[in-house]
Amino acid sequence: MARGINKAILVGNLGNDPETRYTQGGMAVTKISLATTSVRKDRDGNNQEKTEWHRVTFFGKLGEIAAEYLRKGSQVYVEGRITYSEHTGDDGQKRYYTDIVADEMQMLGGRGEGGGGGGGGSYERGPRQPRQEYGGGGGQSAPRQQPAPSRQPPPVDDFSDDDIPF
Amino acid sequence: MARGINKAILVGNLGNDPETRYTQGGMAVTKISLATTSVRKDRDGNNQEKTEWHRVTFFGKLGEIAAEYLRKGSQVYVEGRITYSEHTGDDGQKRYYTDIVADEMQMLGGRGEGGGGGGGGSYERGPRQPRQEYGGGGGQSAPRQQPAPSRQPPPVDDFSDDDIPF
Amino acid sequence: MARGINKAILVGNLGNDPETRYTQGGMAVTKISLATTSVRKDRDGNNQEKTEWHRVTFFGKLGEIAAEYLRKGSQVYVEGRITYSEHTGDDGQKRYYTDIVADEMQMLGGRGEGGGGGGGGSYERGPRQPRQEYGGGGGQSAPRQQPAPSRQPPPVDDFSDDDIPF
Amino acid sequence: MARGINKAILVGNLGNDPETRYTQGGMAVTKISLATTSVRKDRDGNNQEKTEWHRVTFFGKLGEIAAEYLRKGSQVYVEGRITYSEHTGDDGQKRYYTDIVADEMQMLGGRGEGGGGGGGGSYERGPRQPRQEYGGGGGQSAPRQQPAPSRQPPPVDDFSDDDIPF
DNA sequence: TTTT
DNA sequence: TTTT
């Protein structure tokens, strides 16, 4: 029985093209380096930037999709879990790695330099999440023509001045 | 003391330009209609699309930023909390509303039809989250030139064929 | 192809025992009412509480698990997507509903009044997410006693006084 | 301007009591080791468990609260951002660390071995998030007994047999 | 190594 | 009402 939630949610840009390898069994393993930059004002009122570079790994079908559609510079949404591992190098030194193992990805904006195509798309992993579709175009039904909800927005003038409602 | 977590995380596109009103105290209240579309294969192997339209509200400084930068078609990341309310209409009928009250937003891709400008930017709410900066350009320090981590990726060939590692 | 992310993350307590119905095909559909309470200080320094009541729906195997283990008062983690629907009542009036359709759930603390057992457990939906296991009742074993990573924490004395590092 | 989202959401148990240090300026820096365990069935149908140990850091007021209320074994919800750093050890070797810097925490279940009190509580960081309150010890009151919304649930019998609605 |  |  599982106990615990371990979830990472990232939106960032790829620092390089994805790298894909295959296991002996033929499963794609695609890795990307993903930058998330945040900014804040320091005490002197200057902007301070900090970028974190995440190692993100996509397995299986999701690895194939990442390899095909992502490129250096691509903006992407990734959801996954944080994993830690250690590997002993050739020099006998242990090295520690943190990887985000992706469960879901969504391409954003589509301004990567590389791949001609792409557009935006959302994918979940492998044969495991039949709810979302991946891959080529695929017959697409007519766009939802859902009627706008008749629910009119309530008035806003009843908020207090310096406080944001719950 | 607070008990509970109430968090919504959305990535979608605006169905219309934002609408902004001001409270008597001068606080901006900006509302958008945000579409999130998901797809899955049905039993016959056909793609089924479903779009949910979320009412998202931005208060205060975040409301001003949303008003300035978001446009119909804009792609945006929104984080907030789910709120339910009821209002009695002029006909005496009660109506129920669900609103996502945004704490944070991040513009994505920037391909909205409207506003010339925009670009991408991430914002948190009002004077309350000094960690993130909002607003116009602002002096930006030199781009991080952080050295790539020397940590080399571990080999991948040790994964089993039909299974994805934890 | 899916576009958009629609995710709700909730931690709260059940206001009542779950209600389960079955479709003609025999699929369990379990609904709960989940309270998330947040608190803030108002301008006068007094604590203001606000509770949101979420309608959460579990389908299929996850619905069976929710029915078996959750009880009024249970604390639970729920992840899902926000859905909106309308139904016309017997009086011809349209009514609007917002439901969180759960993808994953994790029982917490286990202090529900009802069910004897429970303990904590994390579950994903149906046959669709083989990564997580459900079932096997099981009291909650002691927290993992695994040794902390040998990676020693870096020193902390280099932080500035009034500011929190990135 | 910030670009990117970097968010970790964890629910797990502490492997040890928190450790707190103070900066020269008097700011609390509390670190915990947090286990998140997940389970899946392997190809042979056996349950495979995997535990990740996260280093989580709380700064400032949140650090004081974590120090006061969390204990070895406590179950906790943590939200924060993933940060990577490197430090050179006394042996001249570089070591890499991954830390989750918490923005928000919520105590769950309250079965830690240590501190008598606690109960559940949700906290955000320091003077920076006035929306949530911390402090006020307080045993955990009964789950809100507020009446469920009068909006009646729609019927469920219209779902198909083997498929879960969007 | 990315991005604006 | 959006988007690909």
Side-chain angles (χ1 to χ4, degrees):
Chain A
M1 182 174 358
R3 280 141 303 169
I5 298 295
N6 173 359
K7 186 170 292 291
I9 291 175
L10 306 174
V11 174
N13 296 278
L14 277 75
N16 280 303
D17 284 351
E19 295 181 15
T20 302
R21 299 192 53 175
Y22 292 85
T23 64
Q24 295 157 344
M27 180 173 65
V29 181
T30 297
K31 291 172 179 292
I32 65 169
S33 194
L34 189 69
T36 60
T37 301
S38 50
V39 180
R40 63 165 181 184
K41 277 210 186 324
D42 61 20
R43 264 171 301 174
D44 307 326
N46 299 321
N47 289 331
Q48 292 259 30
E49 273 203 0
K50 179 134 186 262
T51 297
E52 302 293 349
W53 286 96
H54 309 268
R55 295 161 35 104
V56 180
T57 307
F58 304 89
F59 288 98
K61 189 67 183 165
L62 197 54
E64 296 171 22
I65 294 164
E68 182 171 358
Y69 291 107
L70 298 182
R71 290 292 175 271
K72 178 178 179 175
S74 297
Q75 190 181 35
V76 70
Y77 170 98
V78 168
E79 188 180 325
R81 61 190 192 282
I82 310 170
T83 65
Y84 309 96
S85 58
E86 65 175 61
H87 294 267
T88 305
D90 297 334
D91 57 357
Q93 284 287 328
K94 279 187 180 172
R95 296 184 177 285
Y96 299 96
Y97 301 94
T98 299
D99 288 86
I100 311 302
V101 175
D103 289 321
E104 188 169 351
M105 98 172 207
Q106 158 101 32
M107 301 169 52
L108 304 168
R111 270 125 1 114
E113 316 174 346
S122 171
Y123 312 95
E124 292 186 16
R125 194 165 61 194
R128 296 164 182 255
Q129 289 90 346
R131 197 172 89 245
Q132 301 273 66
E133 181 232 3
Y134 39 71
Q140 188 154 328
S141 55
R144 269 276 130 12
Q145 216 54 30
Q146 223 162 272
S150 58
R151 305 175 272 176
Q152 292 311 311
V156 302
D157 5 53
D158 48 342
F159 294 125
S160 77
D161 186 353
D162 75 351
D163 228 10
I164 289 171
F166 277 89
Chain B
M1 181 173 359
R3 279 140 305 167
I5 299 295
N6 174 357
K7 187 170 292 291
I9 292 176
L10 306 174
V11 174
N13 296 279
L14 278 75
N16 279 303
D17 285 351
E19 295 180 14
T20 301
R21 298 193 54 177
Y22 292 86
T23 63
Q24 295 156 344
M27 181 174 64
V29 180
T30 297
K31 291 174 180 291
I32 64 171
S33 195
L34 189 68
T36 59
T37 301
S38 52
V39 180
R40 64 165 181 183
K41 278 208 185 327
D42 62 19
R43 263 172 302 175
D44 306 326
N46 298 323
N47 289 332
Q48 291 260 29
E49 272 204 0
K50 179 134 186 263
T51 297
E52 303 293 349
W53 286 96
H54 309 269
R55 294 162 36 105
V56 180
T57 307
F58 304 88
F59 288 97
K61 188 67 182 164
L62 197 53
E64 297 171 22
I65 295 163
E68 182 172 357
Y69 291 107
L70 298 182
R71 289 292 174 272
K72 177 179 179 174
S74 297
Q75 190 181 34
V76 69
Y77 169 99
V78 168
E79 189 180 325
R81 61 191 192 281
I82 310 170
T83 65
Y84 310 96
S85 57
E86 65 176 61
H87 294 267
T88 305
D90 296 335
D91 56 356
Q93 284 287 328
K94 278 188 180 172
R95 296 184 177 283
Y96 298 96
Y97 301 94
T98 298
D99 288 86
I100 310 302
V101 175
D103 290 320
E104 189 169 349
M105 98 173 207
Q106 157 102 32
M107 300 168 54
L108 304 168
R111 269 121 6 108
E113 317 174 346
S122 171
Y123 311 95
E124 294 186 16
R125 195 166 61 194
R128 297 160 182 257
Q129 290 89 345
R131 199 171 88 245
Q132 302 272 65
E133 181 232 2
Y134 38 70
Q140 189 154 330
S141 54
R144 268 279 129 10
Q145 218 51 34
Q146 221 164 275
S150 58
R151 303 175 274 175
Q152 293 311 312
V156 301
D157 5 54
D158 49 342
F159 293 126
S160 78
D161 187 353
D162 75 352
D163 228 11
I164 289 171
F166 278 88
Chain C
M1 183 171 357
R3 280 134 306 166
I5 299 295
N6 172 1
K7 187 170 293 290
I9 291 175
L10 306 174
V11 174
N13 295 280
L14 278 74
N16 281 301
D17 285 351
E19 297 180 14
T20 302
R21 298 194 53 178
Y22 291 86
T23 64
Q24 296 158 343
M27 181 172 65
V29 181
T30 297
K31 292 174 179 291
I32 64 171
S33 194
L34 189 68
T36 60
T37 301
S38 50
V39 180
R40 63 164 182 184
K41 278 206 185 330
D42 63 18
R43 263 172 301 175
D44 306 326
N46 299 320
N47 289 333
Q48 292 260 29
E49 275 204 358
K50 180 138 187 258
T51 297
E52 302 293 349
W53 285 95
H54 309 268
R55 295 162 34 105
V56 179
T57 308
F58 304 89
F59 288 98
K61 187 69 184 165
L62 197 53
E64 297 171 20
I65 295 164
E68 182 171 358
Y69 292 107
L70 298 181
R71 289 294 174 273
K72 177 178 176 176
S74 298
Q75 191 181 34
V76 69
Y77 170 98
V78 168
E79 188 180 326
R81 60 191 195 282
I82 310 168
T83 64
Y84 309 97
S85 58
E86 65 175 62
H87 295 267
T88 305
D90 295 336
D91 56 356
Q93 284 288 329
K94 278 187 180 173
R95 297 185 177 283
Y96 300 96
Y97 301 94
T98 298
D99 288 86
I100 310 302
V101 175
D103 290 321
E104 188 170 351
M105 100 173 204
Q106 157 103 31
M107 300 167 55
L108 304 168
R111 271 129 355 118
E113 316 175 346
S122 172
Y123 311 94
E124 291 187 16
R125 194 164 62 195
R128 297 164 182 255
Q129 290 88 346
R131 199 171 87 245
Q132 303 272 65
E133 182 231 0
Y134 39 71
Q140 179 154 351
S141 54
R144 270 281 124 15
Q145 219 51 28
Q146 226 159 274
S150 58
R151 303 176 273 175
Q152 293 311 311
V156 302
D157 5 53
D158 48 341
F159 294 127
S160 78
D161 187 351
D162 76 351
D163 227 10
I164 289 171
F166 278 89
Chain D
M1 183 172 356
R3 281 133 306 165
I5 299 296
N6 173 0
K7 187 170 293 290
I9 291 175
L10 305 174
V11 174
N13 296 280
L14 277 76
N16 281 300
D17 284 352
E19 297 180 13
T20 302
R21 298 193 55 177
Y22 291 86
T23 65
Q24 296 157 343
M27 180 173 66
V29 181
T30 297
K31 291 173 180 291
I32 64 169
S33 194
L34 189 69
T36 59
T37 300
S38 50
V39 180
R40 62 164 182 183
K41 278 207 186 330
D42 62 18
R43 262 173 300 174
D44 306 326
N46 300 321
N47 288 333
Q48 292 260 27
E49 273 204 359
K50 179 135 186 259
T51 297
E52 302 292 348
W53 284 95
H54 308 268
R55 294 161 36 104
V56 179
T57 307
F58 304 88
F59 288 97
K61 189 68 182 164
L62 197 53
E64 296 170 21
I65 295 163
E68 182 172 357
Y69 292 106
L70 298 182
R71 288 295 175 271
K72 176 178 177 175
S74 297
Q75 191 181 35
V76 69
Y77 169 98
V78 168
E79 188 180 327
R81 59 190 195 283
I82 310 169
T83 65
Y84 309 97
S85 58
E86 65 176 61
H87 295 268
T88 304
D90 297 335
D91 56 356
Q93 284 287 329
K94 279 186 180 172
R95 296 185 177 284
Y96 299 95
Y97 301 95
T98 298
D99 289 84
I100 310 302
V101 175
D103 289 321
E104 189 170 351
M105 97 171 208
Q106 156 102 31
M107 300 169 52
L108 304 169
R111 271 123 3 110
E113 316 175 345
S122 171
Y123 310 95
E124 293 186 16
R125 194 165 61 195
R128 296 164 182 255
Q129 289 89 347
R131 199 173 87 245
Q132 302 271 67
E133 182 231 0
Y134 39 72
Q140 180 152 352
S141 54
R144 270 282 124 15
Q145 219 51 29
Q146 226 158 274
S150 58
R151 302 175 274 174
Q152 293 311 311
V156 301
D157 5 53
D158 49 340
F159 294 127
S160 78
D161 186 352
D162 75 350
D163 227 9
I164 290 171
F166 276 89

